[in-house]
Amino acid sequence: LSLENMASPPAVYRLIHGAIQRSLSDNLNVSLAPADAPKVSDVCFANAVTSDVLFRGRKIAGAAQRRTRAGLLHQGSIQLDGLPAQFRETFAAALSASFTHIELTAEVMERAQNLAANKYGTPEWLEQR
């Protein structure tokens, strides 16, 4: 898929969050935020924006996006205790008709844990603006 044919970032956001909504709808009454809510805090999950996933009026899934010439990065989080056991497979199927489950190697997991602890978990990284 070329960047020229790629859906707009808001459309990708809506597509991914719609897949989350469908994946949770058998267990929970979730919805997508129809519009941006008024900003009440600098804390991300305190402020729902259009297409965030809501449960009982509270934001439970949100994301950030970055588009460059190379592509679109969509980084998201679901803050909900007790996701259904089948959530990963249901979500993957909602995004694509064909997918393959792979296990990450111990080396990849160790590198990810080191990055999380030594870069992305540091106060310097977390307090950047």
Side-chain angles (χ1 to χ4, degrees):
L1 183 65
S2 71
L3 288 177
E4 293 79 31
N5 295 330
M6 185 185 297
S8 69
V12 171
Y13 199 95
R14 190 171 41 257
L15 179 128
I16 293 171
H17 286 209
I20 294 170
Q21 177 194 22
R22 290 188 305 282
S23 300
L24 293 173
S25 64
D26 285 347
N27 300 81
L28 302 169
N29 184 18
V30 293
S31 62
L32 297 183
D36 293 359
K39 184 175 180 177
V40 295
S41 170
D42 286 332
V43 176
C44 174
F45 270 78
N47 309 296
V49 298
T50 303
S51 299
D52 278 343
V53 182
L54 306 175
F55 175 60
R56 297 182 180 158
R58 182 179 66 86
K59 178 178 177 177
I60 62 163
Q65 294 181 331
R66 180 174 180 159
R67 187 175 187 153
T68 68
R69 285 183 229 143
L72 176 73
L73 171 66
H74 182 96
Q75 175 272 320
S77 176
I78 301 172
Q79 296 188 358
L80 179 69
D81 289 333
L83 283 172
Q86 75 283 5
F87 175 77
R88 288 189 303 184
E89 289 75 19
T90 305
F91 178 53
L95 288 174
S96 175
S98 173
F99 66 93
T100 303
H101 178 81
I102 62 168
E103 293 293 329
L104 298 177
T105 65
E107 178 185 351
V108 169
M109 290 300 296
E110 183 178 340
R111 287 178 57 206
Q113 290 166 344
N114 284 335
L115 274 173
N118 299 316
K119 180 176 182 178
Y120 300 116
T122 64
E124 295 80 18
W125 177 266
L126 295 171
E127 294 168 6
Q128 286 184 51
R129 286 273 175 208

